[in-house]
Amino acid sequence: MTERYDGPVIDPHHHLWDLGLQRHPWLQKAQTSGDETALGSLAPILRNYGIDDYRADAARQNVVATVHVEAGWSVAHPLEESRWLDGLDRSSGVARRYVARVPLDGPDAARLLEAEAENPNVVGIRDILSWHPDVAKRFALRPDRMGDAAWRAGLAEVARLGLVFDLMLYPWQMAEALDLVRAFPHTLFVLNHGGSPVDRTEDGMALWRRGLRALGDEPNLRLKISDLVAYDNDWTLESLRPVIEHCLDCFGPERAMFASDFPVAGLRASFDEVYQVFRTVAAGLSWDEQRALFFATANDTYRLDMADPAETGRGSHV
């Protein structure tokens, strides 16, 4: 029987913020209005969340390195988030690499992408595409951006600079995303949050399953299995298991990676609960498959340059 993975972990998706900087409009709005968002009430995460906070949450999961994904930093202050991260004590491995925010259809997109790419810690870009007819569930300001010529011109710059592009969208946008991924075959895309299966009705989940299956056939797309509890508020191991298993069936462990999305996932689960689910569902896979999900895929995708435990030996698991 395969042993449950207990080797080093790379967390390829989490956020840090200092609310005193007044640079996160979505958090500032929640502080002042208290309105419900696509994630529900944000009250539990309306506090500073720094490296020490992350390390405390992740302390029992053997996390050796992480990728910081843009946290909705104000577009009125471009490049600042990466520079702020550069100034933190990252010696623990937290925020070893960054996925930065640049609006690809912005008038200054090419210059900003060039500037981000000059930072060796920046390995990817995210420009959130998740549009919902319900304003409260909307992350993007308008739909259909993936087909927009100006937006695609920005993405072409991402590709030219050799950066990864993180895709965050809803399942009804997957057909549009399939066209996009095929149109940029030399760009490496990473689909966030398992494709965001937000509509839990039978038809909604069927749409998500079909869309993910089609996207899984594209060799230049990888998948982050992250923050599934955001879409399953009354989650249990058995409710999350089929979702994770479908993700793995579509992409395989060699093109998928587990990620925390902390502190956002903390609205619904503890860090240990998130990784307990991952470890339990993955336990039936081979050791190499588990290593891919917890370590190797993220290491390769985001160029973290961490020593691979498969090459250095894994002690009792040899």
Side-chain angles (χ1 to χ4, degrees):
M1 181 179 293
T2 305
E3 296 178 60
R4 182 179 298 210
Y5 184 79
D6 62 357
V9 170
I10 291 172
D11 179 1
H13 196 113
H14 74 91
H15 312 287
L16 303 171
W17 52 64
D18 180 345
L19 298 183
L21 298 174
Q22 298 288 294
R23 288 294 189 263
H24 298 85
W26 65 289
L27 294 171
Q28 292 167 234
K29 181 180 178 182
Q31 280 183 305
T32 56
S33 72
D35 292 342
E36 290 282 308
T37 70
L39 299 165
S41 171
L42 300 183
I45 59 172
L46 295 179
R47 57 185 176 84
N48 292 345
Y49 193 80
I51 286 178
D52 288 343
D53 300 293
Y54 176 88
R55 291 183 66 198
D57 282 334
R60 291 162 294 281
Q61 296 301 327
N62 198 17
V63 175
V64 297
T66 76
V67 178
H68 181 276
V69 176
E70 62 87 13
W73 195 280
S74 170
V75 294
H77 302 277
L79 308 178
E80 278 191 357
E81 186 172 35
S82 297
R83 293 167 180 167
W84 174 69
L85 291 167
D86 284 342
L88 302 180
D89 179 1
R90 298 160 36 248
S91 59
S92 65
V94 177
R96 184 177 174 93
R97 297 288 184 267
Y98 321 149
V99 173
R101 181 186 191 187
V102 175
L104 298 188
D105 48 1
D108 214 13
R111 181 187 69 82
L112 295 177
L113 289 167
E114 287 269 10
E116 292 286 12
E118 288 175 0
N119 185 336
N121 298 316
V122 174
V123 292
I125 298 295
R126 187 170 76 160
D127 185 15
I128 293 179
L129 299 162
S130 305
W131 187 87
H132 197 288
D134 181 347
V135 174
K137 297 179 180 178
R138 191 177 297 169
F139 290 92
L141 294 178
R142 63 183 177 90
D144 307 321
R145 294 179 74 207
M146 283 180 271
D148 180 81
W151 191 88
R152 285 197 172 199
L155 184 61
E157 285 297 297
V158 173
R160 184 184 68 81
L161 293 166
L163 298 170
V164 174
F165 186 76
D166 265 38
L167 273 171
M168 182 172 157
L169 45 79
Y170 284 125
W172 46 85
Q173 298 174 288
M174 285 179 172
E176 190 180 359
L178 184 61
D179 177 74
L180 179 72
V181 170
R182 288 174 173 172
F184 289 83
H186 302 297
T187 300
L188 182 58
F189 294 88
V190 180
L191 183 62
N192 290 182
H193 308 325
S196 303
V198 65
D199 182 351
R200 309 303 288 191
T201 67
E202 185 176 342
D203 287 346
M205 292 305 290
L207 178 69
W208 169 75
R209 285 192 295 269
R210 288 194 304 272
L212 200 70
R213 175 72 64 191
L215 288 170
D217 289 336
E218 301 308 308
N220 58 321
L221 180 62
R222 296 180 183 179
L223 178 68
K224 271 192 265 200
I225 303 172
S226 50
D227 203 5
L228 300 181
V229 297
Y231 314 109
D232 185 359
N233 294 347
D234 299 314
W235 68 270
T236 65
L237 170 62
E238 293 313 311
S239 72
L240 295 179
R241 182 188 293 275
V243 176
I244 295 172
E245 288 178 344
H246 185 67
C247 288
L248 296 178
D249 190 44
C250 292
F251 280 82
E254 70 282 356
R255 291 195 297 127
M257 59 196 98
F258 290 136
S260 76
D261 194 25
F262 253 64
V264 179
L267 292 169
R268 305 290 178 191
S270 70
F271 201 101
D272 290 337
E273 285 175 326
V274 168
Y275 272 82
Q276 174 72 5
V277 168
F278 292 158
R279 292 179 193 278
T280 300
V281 176
L285 302 174
S286 73
W287 180 268
D288 285 343
E289 288 171 328
Q290 292 184 65
R291 178 174 55 84
L293 287 164
F294 286 100
F295 182 92
T297 303
N299 196 34
D300 173 69
T301 301
Y302 292 110
R303 305 196 298 273
L304 284 124
D305 302 323
M306 300 294 292
D308 192 322
E311 297 175 358
T312 58
R314 57 179 192 248
S316 62
H317 299 289
V318 174

